[in-house]
Amino acid sequence: MSNDDQLKRGRSRFDVLQRAASALCRALPPQQRPPVKLMSLHIWALSTASPISSSRRAGVAKLPLPPEQILESAMLVYLRGLGILPPDSPAAAPSP
């Protein structure tokens, strides 16, 4: 796969992430909506950091949760902080 193809795929994936972030923000009043691109970058950073950090620590210490649950928990905290999810929403609790 060429560099150009990789860039196109990366842009396409980021576009999907931006559309998803925009859809999540529609529930908020317009004046309280975060910038979609910034929110997309935060989600991207969270989603790439979780598996990377867990793989680096694999030989050092056992993590209490698998990477996908760490990511899910981080996303719940982030979305609650933005006001997109209500605080302590039982429907949005991470799966055990």
Side-chain angles (χ1 to χ4, degrees):
M1 180 181 308
S2 73
N3 235 7
D4 288 340
D5 289 340
Q6 287 179 345
L7 285 173
K8 286 178 188 174
R9 284 186 177 193
R11 285 187 192 119
S12 175
R13 291 174 182 152
F14 194 74
D15 288 344
V16 169
L17 189 56
Q18 286 192 131
R19 287 194 303 273
S22 179
L24 283 170
C25 291
R26 284 190 200 119
L28 296 174
Q31 67 276 12
Q32 291 180 351
R33 293 179 189 162
V36 172
K37 188 169 187 174
L38 183 60
M39 186 177 167
S40 300
L41 288 168
H42 289 161
I43 294 169
W44 174 80
L46 283 170
S47 65
T48 57
S50 179
I52 290 171
S53 66
S54 67
S55 68
R56 286 185 182 160
R57 293 182 182 190
V60 177
K62 183 170 170 62
L63 294 174
L65 298 169
E68 60 274 9
Q69 286 185 343
I70 294 170
L71 174 59
E72 184 179 358
S73 298
M75 286 304 306
L76 288 172
V77 169
Y78 182 70
L79 294 175
R80 284 181 181 145
L82 290 174
I84 293 171
L85 291 178
D88 300 326
S89 170
S95 54

